[in-house]
Amino acid sequence: MPSVDLEYPTQPYSKVNRYDSRASYSLETIHQIVNTSPIVHVSFTVPNSPFPMILPMIGQMGSFARPSADTGDVLELYLHGYVSSRIMNLSRKADSEDKKEGEEGLPICVSASHVDGFVLSLTPNSHSYNYRSATLFGYATLVTDVEEKQYAMQLVTDSVVRDRYRHTRVPPNAAEMQSTSVLRVKIAAGSAKVRAGLPKDDRADMANEQLLDTVWTGVLPIHYIIGEPVPGAYNRVQKLPAYLEEFREDFNRDAREAAVRAATTVE
């Protein structure tokens, strides 16, 4: 882990303006939000379309050159998808174009969000969420090196269920490798915005004794839960493997603690 808290450079397009006290440009904060989000949304422009495109995808921050790097280090974002999907074709085309150094590839924006709680105040306008959100700005290029592609496929798979990759039929066969493309996104800038804590209300409402006596205020913590496993139709493994049960228990505990911690944090 770096000895200092590294930050992304603040750019006009990445700067948080409203409630900027909640902003963070820390690599650690941003990468943690992305890596714990089950879905990221990827936006890019499409030629001859009046609208930008946005796709839900699975992504994970990592470093093929430095596999042991943690989330506080400089990392790249890996995304995987079908070989002939629109984003892959546009990235392939962008790879062949001459561009300024550092701007090679398809420009994309990536967002990830978590809702940790409903914050219920005295008036509707003061209601809020406890949340963690992050946005990345970068350039996507296709991964062509076979070893890096396999690294990324394992990284993404294990980001969904810890240690799942090696407990399946691996490595992917030739057909699977050919039908799947992987994007490496070099990050140019990023920002996060986090809200945690209890409700806050206007001074006038706080002085209204009748309002205080009749309106419940507080936080309803929210978190994902992994439920009871449901075996597949052709599953022959009678007992849930220990690595899956441990993952389920750790996931549920960590998610619950994060939601409660967000509710009780003094902002």
Side-chain angles (χ1 to χ4, degrees):
M1 185 171 181
S3 57
V4 295
D5 187 11
L6 300 178
E7 293 190 345
Y8 281 113
T10 305
Q11 303 291 355
Y13 53 79
S14 66
K15 185 177 184 298
V16 176
N17 292 315
R18 183 163 171 77
Y19 291 117
D20 58 358
S21 62
R22 298 176 181 172
S24 174
Y25 303 92
S26 160
L27 272 62
E28 172 77 19
T29 299
I30 295 167
H31 295 169
Q32 283 283 7
I33 292 172
V34 172
N35 278 3
T36 54
S37 181
I39 294 290
V40 297
H41 287 87
V42 181
S43 179
F44 53 96
T45 57
V46 179
N48 304 318
S49 172
F51 304 106
M53 181 64 65
I54 186 164
L55 296 175
M57 300 183 75
I58 303 174
Q60 193 75 177
M61 307 296 303
S63 172
F64 176 64
R66 297 172 292 107
S68 62
D70 65 21
T71 49
D73 287 304
V74 175
L75 302 174
E76 294 162 317
L77 175 67
Y78 286 95
L79 303 164
H80 87 300
Y82 189 62
V83 64
S84 61
S85 64
R86 182 175 292 161
I87 191 171
M88 299 302 176
N89 288 336
L90 288 172
S91 296
R92 194 173 291 111
K93 183 175 182 295
D95 285 349
S96 64
E97 298 173 349
D98 290 331
K99 295 193 175 183
K100 289 170 56 179
E101 185 177 353
E103 297 182 2
E104 298 90 352
L106 178 70
I108 68 171
C109 300
V110 180
S111 69
S113 300
H114 297 270
V115 176
D116 294 319
F118 295 145
V119 182
L120 309 182
S121 304
L122 292 171
T123 68
N125 279 16
S126 296
H127 279 53
S128 187
Y129 282 174
N130 281 337
Y131 62 85
R132 292 164 286 147
S133 63
T135 305
L136 294 170
F137 305 84
Y139 298 91
T141 58
L142 282 168
V143 173
T144 56
D145 179 80
V146 174
E147 288 188 11
E148 184 176 6
K149 189 173 180 180
Q150 290 179 335
Y151 159 82
M153 293 171 77
Q154 179 172 358
L155 180 74
V156 171
T157 301
D158 286 344
S159 77
V160 179
V161 174
R162 186 180 64 206
D163 208 23
R164 179 62 178 172
Y165 189 85
R166 71 183 182 93
H167 286 94
T168 63
R169 191 264 296 151
V170 287
N173 60 37
E176 291 166 339
M177 291 292 287
Q178 187 174 4
S179 65
T180 304
S181 287
V182 172
L183 293 176
R184 181 200 318 108
V185 184
K186 183 178 180 181
I187 309 303
S191 57
K193 194 173 180 182
V194 178
R195 199 275 185 200
L198 295 169
K200 293 182 178 179
D201 277 286
D202 291 340
R203 189 173 300 174
D205 290 321
M206 293 293 292
N208 186 328
E209 296 295 335
Q210 182 180 4
L211 192 61
L212 291 171
D213 288 340
T214 56
V215 178
W216 189 91
T217 59
V219 176
L220 303 180
I222 299 172
H223 55 91
Y224 282 108
I225 282 291
I226 298 177
E228 288 293 329
V230 179
Y234 51 84
N235 173 67
R236 296 183 184 179
V237 181
Q238 295 303 310
K239 185 178 180 181
L240 187 71
Y243 80 95
L244 288 177
E245 185 57 41
E246 290 171 5
F247 165 72
R248 177 173 172 266
E249 291 176 356
D250 291 347
F251 181 98
N252 289 346
R253 183 195 63 244
D254 293 346
R256 181 174 58 253
E257 289 178 354
V260 173
R261 185 166 56 248
T264 55
T265 296
V266 178
E267 194 179 25

